[in-house]
Structure formats: C-alpha cells, structure tokens
Amino acid sequence: MSVSIEKTQQQILKHHGGNGSQARQAISNSYDRRHDDDFWQFWEATVAANHQTGDGIVDMGAGIGQFVRDCALRYPDSAVIGLEAAPYMLEHTVELPNNARIVQDDLNLPQADIAPGSVSMVMANMVVHELTQPIKMFKAAYDWLKPGGRLCVVDVVRQPLKDYLEHRYTETQVWGDDTVVADLEDAFEHFQEHNRYHPDDIVYMLELGGFKLADRLSYRNDRFVRLVVEK
C-alpha cells in the first residue's frame, strides 16, 4: 500500500466537497445513465476488441463497484479487479460475483498485485482530473495490459471559463449581489480541478508512455472526452 494514500484520500474528499456520502450517492445514482446500451455497445466493439477468455479486467477508481460487478457478470471467465482509495466508497460496496473483488489502492501510485501482461481491459472513468498527476496510473495500466490490451479514459477536460460559469450559475448572475464569496471561491476551485487538461494533453501523456490512440470522442459540448488507447 502506498504511504501517500492518506494524502490521496484527503484530496479526493476535498474534491467531493467534503461530503463523501453525498458524492457516493450522486455517483451511484448516475451509474445506469452513464452505462446504458450505447455505452456497452461501444465497450464491446472498441475496448473489448482484443479481449480473450480468461484475460483480466481492471477498473481504476471503482467507487462502490457497480462497473466491477457488471464486467464480472459479462465476462464470467475473467478476474475483475476494482481499485479504490476512498473509505466512504469501500465501506458501501455492492455485492460482487465470485470472479470480482475491490482492493484499496492509491491511484497516484498504484501498488495493486496484478501480474504484468495479464489484463486486456482497463477503465479509468472520471479519475484523471482527481489525481495530483496521472502518469503513475497510466504506467501501471500499461504494465498490467497484455500486448493489444486497451485502456479507456473518460474524463472532464478543459473548457472556457465562460462555459463553466454559465453551466454552474443557471439561475444566478455571477456578478449579482446575492452571489456569496464562499460559493464563488468554490466555483473557481472546482473550475481549476475540472479544467486541468485539454484532450490533447491526455493523449500526449498516454502516447509518451507507449500507448497508441484507438478511439477519441468529445461530447456534452466538449466538456468531456472518451479516449481508448492500445498497448
């Protein structure tokens, strides 16, 4: 276990507004919407393109384990491992099939016991922007993946301040007298957190480590990107 995991836990909790229970509920409630039939069609056609029976699957930032559970059910002959740092997620995990498990790990410096070259698919969903640096996570994924294995990255990406504030303040004027300092400070802090990288920055880091870009999609007014890269 990484000695820095307590620091990462504090960082994630702050990112989640200091309310782990609320963050857990919001992420759990939106899971089905984010993993609809279109998502699974994309996953099967693109991320699972080189998956073979028995290949491992890893979910980095597994939350309460909904994606781990679904992958374990879809691929019953594969070992599915979820990695999660936040205690408020780990304490409320869903019931998992026998071929799945969730372990505590620090994605700023992953230490999970996963054999090199044993994995065909890795998911990193809304994780990159939460890390102090994503390089060690990307490197771990590369080491775990077999040749031809694929990593899927889904995350928020850089946007103009105008777009962010207009999305945040749908009913309140930013310059209005009723907009309090604490809320503005929170808004600008979250803008910085959610605005760390342009999609090209993430592609650059991945290609620098040896990955090849297989698929790229920007969506929701270019506020999100979905990348698939291959080892």
Side-chain angles (χ1 to χ4, degrees):
M1 182 61 59
S2 167
V3 296
S4 66
I5 193 165
E6 290 186 4
K7 179 181 177 182
T8 296
Q9 290 170 340
Q10 294 170 1
Q11 169 197 340
I12 295 172
L13 181 60
K14 182 180 179 182
H15 177 83
H16 286 159
N19 191 327
S21 177
Q22 185 178 62
R24 181 183 67 246
Q25 197 64 48
I27 293 170
S28 302
N29 290 347
S30 66
Y31 177 82
D32 289 338
R33 173 180 57 78
R34 293 180 289 111
H35 298 82
D36 57 10
D37 289 342
D38 287 342
F39 168 83
W40 286 111
Q41 288 176 14
F42 145 78
W43 181 268
E44 291 287 350
T46 307
V47 187
N50 298 320
H51 175 76
Q52 295 179 324
T53 300
D55 289 342
I57 302 168
V58 176
D59 182 20
M60 300 199 285
I64 66 170
Q66 291 160 295
F67 187 71
V68 173
R69 174 199 61 200
D70 288 355
C71 280
L73 292 173
R74 284 175 174 268
Y75 307 99
D77 295 319
S78 294
V80 185
I81 302 174
L83 310 180
E84 177 59 51
Y88 48 87
M89 297 293 185
L90 293 166
E91 292 165 1
H92 294 83
T93 55
V94 298
E95 185 175 354
L96 298 173
N98 291 333
N99 60 319
R101 60 190 174 98
I102 297 176
V103 298
Q104 188 178 58
D105 202 3
D106 179 2
L107 293 179
N108 280 306
L109 184 60
Q111 300 290 305
D113 185 16
I114 300 172
S118 65
V119 171
S120 66
M121 297 184 282
V122 177
M123 169 62 101
N125 193 342
M126 297 298 288
V127 174
V128 171
H129 73 280
E130 293 190 348
L131 303 179
T132 54
Q133 51 74 30
I135 295 296
K136 293 299 184 181
M137 182 182 73
F138 291 155
K139 184 180 187 303
Y142 190 89
D143 291 343
W144 296 333
L145 285 166
K146 70 177 188 178
R150 294 191 168 190
L151 162 65
C152 178
V153 175
V154 179
D155 224 292
V156 290
V157 289
R158 189 174 302 154
Q159 60 183 295
L161 180 63
K162 172 181 180 292
D163 293 348
Y164 182 83
L165 290 180
E166 288 182 353
H167 177 75
R168 167 105 179 203
Y169 293 99
T170 55
E171 299 177 356
T172 305
Q173 292 287 335
V174 175
W175 280 63
D177 292 337
D178 57 341
T179 306
V180 298
V181 169
D183 188 65
L184 284 169
E185 289 176 343
D186 184 69
F188 275 82
E189 183 173 355
H190 277 79
F191 171 72
Q192 294 297 329
E193 291 176 350
H194 296 157
N195 211 47
R196 292 176 189 260
Y197 305 112
H198 186 277
D200 289 347
D201 297 333
I202 302 176
V203 172
Y204 162 73
M205 288 186 284
L206 291 165
E207 291 184 335
L208 189 67
F211 282 108
K212 297 178 294 183
L213 184 64
D215 188 73
R216 173 173 174 168
L217 174 69
S218 295
Y219 60 103
R220 291 181 66 178
N221 295 322
D222 295 331
R223 292 190 296 116
F224 291 79
V225 70
R226 187 180 72 198
L227 302 168
V228 178
V229 292
E230 180 178 314
K231 178 175 177 178

